[in-house]
Short mmCIF file of all heavy atoms in Angstrom, two decimals:
data_model
loop_
_atom_site.label_atom_id
_atom_site.label_comp_id
_atom_site.label_asym_id
_atom_site.label_seq_id
_atom_site.Cartn_x
_atom_site.Cartn_y
_atom_site.Cartn_z
N THR A 94 -20.94 43.24 -11.59
CA THR A 94 -22.15 42.51 -11.96
C THR A 94 -22.42 41.42 -10.93
O THR A 94 -21.51 40.71 -10.51
CB THR A 94 -21.99 41.86 -13.36
OG1 THR A 94 -21.67 42.86 -14.31
CG2 THR A 94 -23.27 41.15 -13.79
N MET A 95 -23.68 41.33 -10.54
CA MET A 95 -24.13 40.24 -9.68
C MET A 95 -25.01 39.33 -10.53
O MET A 95 -25.77 39.82 -11.37
CB MET A 95 -24.94 40.76 -8.49
CG MET A 95 -25.37 39.64 -7.54
SD MET A 95 -26.26 40.27 -6.09
CE MET A 95 -27.90 40.40 -6.77
N TYR A 96 -24.88 38.03 -10.30
CA TYR A 96 -25.70 37.04 -11.00
C TYR A 96 -26.63 36.39 -9.99
O TYR A 96 -26.25 36.15 -8.85
CB TYR A 96 -24.82 35.99 -11.68
CG TYR A 96 -23.92 36.62 -12.72
CD1 TYR A 96 -22.67 37.13 -12.37
CD2 TYR A 96 -24.34 36.76 -14.04
CE1 TYR A 96 -21.85 37.73 -13.31
CE2 TYR A 96 -23.53 37.37 -14.98
CZ TYR A 96 -22.28 37.85 -14.61
OH TYR A 96 -21.48 38.46 -15.54
N TRP A 97 -27.84 36.08 -10.44
CA TRP A 97 -28.87 35.53 -9.57
C TRP A 97 -29.81 34.71 -10.44
O TRP A 97 -30.23 35.18 -11.50
CB TRP A 97 -29.61 36.68 -8.91
CG TRP A 97 -30.72 36.37 -7.97
CD1 TRP A 97 -30.76 35.39 -7.03
CD2 TRP A 97 -31.95 37.08 -7.85
NE1 TRP A 97 -31.95 35.44 -6.33
CE2 TRP A 97 -32.70 36.47 -6.82
CE3 TRP A 97 -32.51 38.16 -8.51
CZ2 TRP A 97 -33.96 36.90 -6.44
CZ3 TRP A 97 -33.77 38.60 -8.13
CH2 TRP A 97 -34.48 37.99 -7.11
N SER A 98 -30.11 33.50 -10.04
CA SER A 98 -30.98 32.67 -10.87
C SER A 98 -32.31 32.35 -10.19
O SER A 98 -32.42 32.37 -8.97
CB SER A 98 -30.28 31.37 -11.27
OG SER A 98 -30.07 30.53 -10.16
N ASP A 99 -33.29 32.07 -11.03
CA ASP A 99 -34.57 31.52 -10.60
C ASP A 99 -34.64 30.13 -11.20
O ASP A 99 -34.85 29.97 -12.41
CB ASP A 99 -35.73 32.39 -11.08
CG ASP A 99 -37.09 31.89 -10.57
OD1 ASP A 99 -37.17 30.77 -10.02
OD2 ASP A 99 -38.08 32.63 -10.75
N THR A 100 -34.42 29.12 -10.36
CA THR A 100 -34.37 27.75 -10.83
C THR A 100 -35.66 27.34 -11.53
O THR A 100 -35.64 26.74 -12.59
CB THR A 100 -34.03 26.79 -9.67
OG1 THR A 100 -32.77 27.18 -9.13
CG2 THR A 100 -33.95 25.35 -10.13
N LYS A 101 -36.80 27.69 -10.94
CA LYS A 101 -38.08 27.30 -11.54
C LYS A 101 -38.27 27.93 -12.92
O LYS A 101 -38.81 27.30 -13.83
CB LYS A 101 -39.25 27.68 -10.64
CG LYS A 101 -40.60 27.21 -11.20
CD LYS A 101 -41.74 27.51 -10.25
CE LYS A 101 -43.04 26.92 -10.73
NZ LYS A 101 -43.56 27.52 -11.94
N ALA A 102 -37.82 29.14 -13.12
CA ALA A 102 -37.97 29.84 -14.39
C ALA A 102 -36.89 29.47 -15.41
O ALA A 102 -36.92 29.98 -16.54
CB ALA A 102 -37.97 31.34 -14.16
N HIS A 103 -35.92 28.62 -15.03
CA HIS A 103 -34.83 28.21 -15.92
C HIS A 103 -34.04 29.42 -16.43
O HIS A 103 -33.61 29.46 -17.57
CB HIS A 103 -35.37 27.42 -17.12
CG HIS A 103 -35.92 26.07 -16.77
ND1 HIS A 103 -37.11 25.89 -16.12
CD2 HIS A 103 -35.41 24.84 -16.98
CE1 HIS A 103 -37.33 24.60 -15.95
NE2 HIS A 103 -36.31 23.93 -16.45
N THR A 104 -33.87 30.42 -15.56
CA THR A 104 -33.27 31.68 -15.98
C THR A 104 -32.20 32.16 -15.00
O THR A 104 -32.39 32.08 -13.80
CB THR A 104 -34.36 32.77 -16.11
OG1 THR A 104 -35.35 32.31 -17.04
CG2 THR A 104 -33.80 34.08 -16.59
N VAL A 105 -31.11 32.68 -15.56
CA VAL A 105 -30.07 33.35 -14.79
C VAL A 105 -30.14 34.83 -15.17
O VAL A 105 -30.17 35.17 -16.36
CB VAL A 105 -28.65 32.80 -15.09
CG1 VAL A 105 -27.60 33.56 -14.29
CG2 VAL A 105 -28.58 31.31 -14.85
N TYR A 106 -30.15 35.68 -14.16
CA TYR A 106 -30.19 37.12 -14.38
C TYR A 106 -28.83 37.74 -14.07
O TYR A 106 -28.08 37.23 -13.23
CB TYR A 106 -31.24 37.78 -13.46
CG TYR A 106 -32.64 37.27 -13.70
CD1 TYR A 106 -33.21 36.32 -12.87
CD2 TYR A 106 -33.38 37.74 -14.78
CE1 TYR A 106 -34.49 35.84 -13.11
CE2 TYR A 106 -34.66 37.27 -15.02
CZ TYR A 106 -35.20 36.32 -14.18
OH TYR A 106 -36.47 35.83 -14.42
N ALA A 107 -28.54 38.85 -14.71
CA ALA A 107 -27.40 39.69 -14.38
C ALA A 107 -27.96 41.00 -13.88
O ALA A 107 -29.00 41.48 -14.37
CB ALA A 107 -26.52 39.92 -15.61
N LEU A 108 -27.31 41.57 -12.86
CA LEU A 108 -27.73 42.86 -12.31
C LEU A 108 -26.50 43.74 -12.16
O LEU A 108 -25.42 43.24 -11.81
CB LEU A 108 -28.38 42.68 -10.94
CG LEU A 108 -29.63 41.83 -10.88
CD1 LEU A 108 -29.29 40.40 -10.54
CD2 LEU A 108 -30.60 42.38 -9.88
N ASP A 109 -26.65 45.02 -12.41
CA ASP A 109 -25.55 45.93 -12.11
C ASP A 109 -25.39 45.94 -10.60
O ASP A 109 -26.36 46.03 -9.86
CB ASP A 109 -25.87 47.34 -12.62
CG ASP A 109 -25.99 47.40 -14.13
OD1 ASP A 109 -25.49 46.49 -14.82
OD2 ASP A 109 -26.60 48.37 -14.63
N PHE A 110 -24.13 45.86 -10.14
CA PHE A 110 -23.84 45.78 -8.72
C PHE A 110 -22.89 46.90 -8.33
O PHE A 110 -21.86 47.10 -8.96
CB PHE A 110 -23.20 44.42 -8.39
CG PHE A 110 -22.88 44.24 -6.93
CD1 PHE A 110 -23.89 44.04 -6.01
CD2 PHE A 110 -21.57 44.27 -6.49
CE1 PHE A 110 -23.61 43.88 -4.66
CE2 PHE A 110 -21.27 44.10 -5.14
CZ PHE A 110 -22.28 43.90 -4.23
N ASN A 111 -23.26 47.63 -7.29
CA ASN A 111 -22.40 48.68 -6.74
C ASN A 111 -21.78 48.12 -5.46
O ASN A 111 -22.46 48.01 -4.43
CB ASN A 111 -23.22 49.93 -6.45
CG ASN A 111 -22.39 51.06 -5.90
OD1 ASN A 111 -21.51 50.87 -5.06
ND2 ASN A 111 -22.67 52.26 -6.37
N ALA A 112 -20.52 47.74 -5.52
CA ALA A 112 -19.85 47.14 -4.37
C ALA A 112 -19.78 48.10 -3.19
O ALA A 112 -19.85 47.68 -2.04
CB ALA A 112 -18.45 46.66 -4.74
N GLY A 113 -19.67 49.38 -3.45
CA GLY A 113 -19.54 50.35 -2.38
C GLY A 113 -20.73 50.39 -1.44
O GLY A 113 -20.58 50.33 -0.22
N ASP A 114 -21.93 50.45 -2.01
CA ASP A 114 -23.11 50.54 -1.15
C ASP A 114 -23.98 49.27 -1.19
O ASP A 114 -25.01 49.20 -0.53
CB ASP A 114 -23.94 51.78 -1.47
CG ASP A 114 -24.57 51.76 -2.86
OD1 ASP A 114 -24.54 50.72 -3.54
OD2 ASP A 114 -25.10 52.81 -3.26
#
Side-chain angles (χ1 to χ4, degrees):
T94 304
M95 182 177 84
Y96 298 88
W97 180 41
S98 68
D99 184 349
T100 301
K101 183 176 186 293
H103 291 73
T104 302
V105 179
Y106 300 100
L108 299 94
D109 296 341
F110 181 73
N111 181 318
D114 66 10

